[in-house]
Amino acid sequence: MFELAPGNVRIALDAADRTKARVTELEGKVNRAKHPDEILTDSVLALGSGPLHCDLAPLIAAERWEGVLNTYEACEELSERWHTLESEAEAVRANAVRKGAEAIRTGKKIPSSAAAISDAETALKSCSLVLTEAAADLRKARSAYDSLWRDRKFLTAYRDSVIGSFKEQRAKAAEAYDSIAGAVSETRRRYGTLHDLTVNHLDAIPEEPYSYLPIRGTGWAQADLENALSVLHRQVNETHPLFSGDFLTMPLGEIADAAEELAEERKGPRENHWA
């Protein structure tokens, strides 16, 4: 009979061991329950955040987003359920080992725990399967939501709603400016008078500490307040369509032509305020 040299025998045995280990590894990958982290990856979890609509969007946006959130919450609940089942399966396996060890110590027959272990592992795998399906449902729900931003009818209705609110808020901003501008200007004047009386006429603050106190040109006396009021005044009284917002509120069919005209206008000498 042909016999292998000792060195070749070791090589053959090593190769067999590696093959067996690889088979065991592959069996483990095939048979084990998928961990939630493998199913709910960062990209999947991101699907449940970052809504694109606001309260002015047509109702269908909120309805579809609610569907996204509900599916996302279901995924989270299944993930928690998986971890609970994993703990239970681990406890079943540990209990089987304890009972087997006790049987060996006492010389008794090792009780069979195969059914209990199998049931626990089946529950775990089943949860992984349901979680995988839920993750797929989450992708579908987010896809349905995102598809609204390719729906011209939806986008047009959304835009019309925003236009109405924008014009309303712009009018409120103009009214609010009239009120705050007067109040701020009057406050600045009162502060200047108060500073003059306290510091210059009544000499209430000694010269040495006064030089370290930041009360000159700061607070209500700072120039930035006047500059801010100037910018606001110009904005609320703006009439140019580009800077007042009127350009973006034009009917969709007219915007392209208006854009061409405004672009030609901007190609010439530019006004030095919003250029």
Side-chain angles (χ1 to χ4, degrees):
M1 179 183 293
F2 177 76
E3 294 184 2
L4 292 173
N8 291 334
V9 170
R10 286 195 300 274
I11 293 174
L13 290 174
D14 288 342
D17 287 342
R18 287 195 298 272
T19 300
K20 183 178 179 181
R22 180 59 177 160
V23 170
T24 301
E25 178 187 354
L26 291 174
E27 286 178 343
K29 288 184 177 179
V30 171
N31 295 324
R32 71 179 176 81
K34 261 193 172 183
H35 192 282
D37 288 348
E38 299 177 66
I39 302 170
L40 300 179
T41 60
D42 290 342
S43 60
V44 173
L45 293 174
L47 298 175
S49 61
L52 304 175
H53 69 286
C54 71
D55 59 313
L56 299 174
L59 182 59
I60 189 172
E63 292 174 344
R64 291 194 181 180
W65 182 248
E66 183 178 5
V68 172
L69 294 181
N70 289 341
T71 311
Y72 180 84
E73 290 173 3
C75 287
E76 287 191 319
E77 291 173 0
L78 284 168
S79 178
E80 292 176 3
R81 177 60 176 155
W82 190 95
H83 286 291
T84 299
L85 290 172
E86 182 189 34
S87 297
E88 293 174 356
E90 193 61 40
V92 169
R93 287 190 288 266
N95 188 50
V97 171
R98 283 195 298 271
K99 288 183 177 179
E102 181 63 26
I104 291 174
R105 280 193 293 269
T106 58
K108 298 178 180 179
K109 181 180 178 181
I110 297 177
S112 175
S113 302
I117 293 175
S118 177
D119 288 346
E121 292 181 346
T122 297
L124 199 57
K125 293 174 186 176
S126 298
C127 189
S128 291
L129 177 60
V130 176
L131 180 56
T132 299
E133 293 171 349
D137 289 339
L138 178 58
R139 291 188 183 91
K140 291 177 183 177
R142 183 61 194 239
S143 179
Y145 173 76
D146 289 342
S147 70
L148 291 173
W149 273 257
R150 299 186 295 274
D151 184 334
R152 190 172 182 82
K153 182 178 180 181
F154 166 81
L155 293 172
T156 300
Y158 192 1
R159 178 177 182 267
D160 289 342
S161 178
V162 175
I163 286 174
S165 180
F166 167 72
K167 290 182 176 179
E168 180 182 349
Q169 291 301 318
R170 185 174 59 179
K172 289 182 179 180
E175 292 176 4
Y177 168 78
D178 291 338
S179 174
I180 194 172
V184 169
S185 295
E186 190 61 27
T187 303
R188 282 169 56 79
R189 284 194 291 271
R190 294 288 184 264
Y191 182 83
T193 301
L194 181 60
H195 179 278
D196 185 48
L197 291 171
T198 304
V199 177
N200 299 329
H201 295 287
L202 294 173
D203 296 323
I205 304 175
E207 184 175 347
E208 174 63 18
Y210 178 73
S211 63
Y212 292 96
L213 299 179
I215 58 176
R216 291 170 295 183
T218 60
W220 286 103
Q222 62 181 306
D224 285 347
L225 281 177
E226 193 66 36
N227 294 336
L229 289 176
S230 177
V231 172
L232 284 172
H233 179 268
R234 181 166 59 182
Q235 184 59 58
V236 299
N237 290 285
E238 183 61 72
T239 58
H240 192 287
L242 282 179
F243 310 121
S244 66
D246 286 338
F247 171 68
L248 293 178
T249 68
M250 293 178 64
L252 290 174
E254 299 176 12
I255 282 187
D257 290 339
E260 293 286 349
E261 293 178 8
L262 289 169
E264 288 298 322
E265 172 190 307
R266 301 286 290 172
K267 288 177 184 178
R270 298 184 177 184
E271 295 181 37
N272 187 25
H273 73 298
W274 297 105

